[in-house]
Structure formats: C-alpha cells, structure tokens
Amino acid sequence: MWRSSFGRTTIGAFERGKLIWSGRLRTVHEQTADEWGILLRNLFSPAGLDIAKIDGIIICSVVPPIDTTLAFMTRRYFHTEAMFVGPRTDIGLKILYDNPNEVGADRLVNGVAGFYKYGGPCVVVDMGTTINFDVVSANAEYLGGMICPGIGMSITGLFAKTARLPMVDFREPSLLIGKNTVNSIQSGLYYGFIGMIDGIVERVVAELGNKTTAVATGGQARLIASASRFVKEFNEDLTLEGLEIIWRRNQKT
C-alpha cells in the first residue's frame, strides 16, 4: 500500500488485512525506478519482509510526474502491475464531486477508510501539506469537502513574509497568552488551527446530523484531536487502511 504526496511518501505492508509494517519517505521527483526499488529493498530487509511474497501493490498518488516511475519500479522489482486509485476505481463510494477527475486520490481513500471503519456520515480531517476535509454521507456518497492551508506552509509563510518573526515548531503551548514572540506564534498556530478545524467540523455536523463522526489523520493530527471539541477519533494509518480496503474490494470483484 503506497501513498505519495508532494512532501512525503507513506508505505505500508499488510498481511491478512492487518498492517504489519509502515514507513515514511521524502517524495523525490527525480528519483529513478531503480533508486525506488533499491530503497524499498533496503527498507524491507531489516523489517523481515520478503519481496517475493508481495502479491499486489496499490498506490494513491497526487504527484503525477512520478506515477510512471512507480509503475515501472513495481513491474521490475515486484513483478506485479500496480493498481493506481482514481475516479474510475471501484472504491465502494459514489463520488458526487462536480468533476470526479479533480478529486485527489488520497481524499477518496480517506473517505473510504472513514466510512468503512467508522460509519457514515463522517468527515476525515487529513493534516498533510494542506488540511483536507473529506465528507461522506450515511449512504456511502463522497460529498466533497474543504481544502485549507497546511500547518507547515503557514509556519513557512510567517517566517518568509515577515522581517522579524522566527521559524517555530508546531506544539501545544504552555500558556494561552504568549509571553514572548516564539510562544505567541506557537499559541496562535495551535489554537488558530484547532479553532478553524472545529469551526468547519461543527458546520459539517450541523448539516449532516449529530451522528457524524470526525476522524483526524496525518502529521499533527494527534495534537489536534487531543484538544478538539469535535474531532475525537485519531488514526495515524487511516490512508493505508483505506488503500487496503479498496484493494480487497477489487480482488473480490
């Protein structure tokens, strides 16, 4: 199971429906198929994973330039054709986006995982390069969602576009009211993003009903879920689990 985004690639290995290993890499656009293959072999070997026993690969990618490279790598090193998730893939949800071709594969996969693991209606909050909200109805319909600036790009923007504000890390502040510049920025980021996420989720719940489940995944999701009024579920491996659900569904059909 493979997820590629602009900043990071996440890889997982499943056996009998259970995630037995996962790893995270930088997404390097210039990396060749051989470099990907050798890198994966070097990652799998210490984990005790036998490449020869891998019988299928499914990929959701939002980095089109590397898709051809990944497809060639899976044929050369794993001797299998990779399945790429797209709007025509049987994912078990009806896609109600105006143009299904515009929906990122990762968003569809998160919707699948949210619905089939937590039920519907649900909203998945994925905190990656951007913060994505993906909404699924009780009738297994992918309704769409929202896309907001991510935490990392907000921190970088503050640093790059101002003369005196320092670069900071994202963490829960010790005090709400910061007593120095670093603490003030950290408090603004932390409570600002929690407020934004809660505000959006609250509106989704008002529209879909109080039985709507909100699930967080991605980099800083654990921090957000611990302080959110509406996001109570946290699942670090949600996207990988969604890929496994789609893979299993398509093997049956």
Side-chain angles (χ1 to χ4, degrees):
M1 313 300 162
W2 191 302
R3 175 193 182 179
S4 286
S5 61
F6 282 98
R8 187 176 68 177
T9 295
T10 305
I11 305 165
F14 284 80
E15 186 174 19
R16 298 183 180 89
K18 182 180 179 181
L19 182 65
I20 59 172
W21 176 87
S22 65
R24 287 164 175 78
L25 309 168
R26 289 185 304 117
T27 302
V28 181
H29 293 209
E30 297 78 15
Q31 200 150 257
T32 67
D34 288 330
E35 288 171 329
W36 276 113
I38 292 168
L39 180 59
L40 288 178
R41 282 188 171 181
N42 290 340
L43 282 173
F44 284 6
S45 182
L49 299 175
D50 185 356
I51 285 181
K53 292 183 179 179
I54 294 176
D55 58 5
I57 295 176
I58 181 171
I59 298 173
C60 76
S61 169
V62 293
V63 192
I66 71 171
D67 290 356
T68 301
T69 301
L70 294 178
F72 180 73
M73 180 273 296
T74 60
R75 289 193 296 270
R76 183 164 188 166
Y77 286 88
F78 295 89
H79 309 293
T80 186
E81 289 288 339
M83 174 184 174
F84 283 82
V85 176
R88 295 177 180 83
T89 306
D90 178 9
I91 64 172
L93 298 178
K94 183 178 180 180
I95 303 172
L96 298 186
Y97 223 58
D98 289 343
N99 181 359
N101 292 310
E102 292 181 358
V103 190
D106 56 339
R107 298 183 63 194
L108 295 176
V109 172
N110 282 339
V112 168
F115 180 80
Y116 285 99
K117 291 187 68 68
Y118 298 95
C122 67
V123 53
V124 176
V125 185
D126 186 359
M127 305 186 65
T129 305
T130 58
I131 299 177
N132 297 337
F133 298 77
D134 297 298
V135 185
V136 182
S137 74
N139 298 319
E141 299 161 322
Y142 179 85
L143 300 176
M146 305 83 177
I147 301 175
C148 302
I151 293 173
M153 67 172 62
S154 297
I155 293 173
T156 302
L158 275 174
F159 176 72
K161 298 296 183 180
T162 59
R164 300 185 62 184
L165 295 183
M167 181 75 79
V168 302
D169 56 347
F170 184 76
R171 63 172 62 183
E172 181 178 0
S174 56
L175 297 171
L176 171 64
I177 301 173
K179 301 299 184 182
N180 56 59
T181 301
V182 169
N183 291 157
S184 296
I185 296 172
Q186 288 175 328
S187 184
L189 288 167
Y190 182 76
Y191 291 109
F193 276 104
I194 288 174
M196 179 192 74
I197 290 168
D198 274 350
I200 291 175
V201 173
E202 183 177 19
R203 289 173 182 267
V204 172
V205 171
E207 185 163 323
L208 299 184
N210 291 330
K211 293 185 178 180
T212 303
T213 301
V215 188
T217 190
Q220 294 90 5
R222 188 187 298 274
L223 270 176
I224 294 298
S226 66
S228 171
R229 292 183 294 118
F230 294 94
V231 182
K232 298 304 180 185
E233 298 287 348
F234 163 73
N235 188 333
E236 183 180 12
D237 301 312
L238 189 73
T239 311
L240 293 176
E241 291 173 356
L243 282 168
E244 196 276 333
I245 291 169
I246 294 171
W247 170 261
R248 192 163 11 100
R249 178 183 182 87
N250 282 267
Q251 297 316 295
K252 290 179 181 179
T253 57

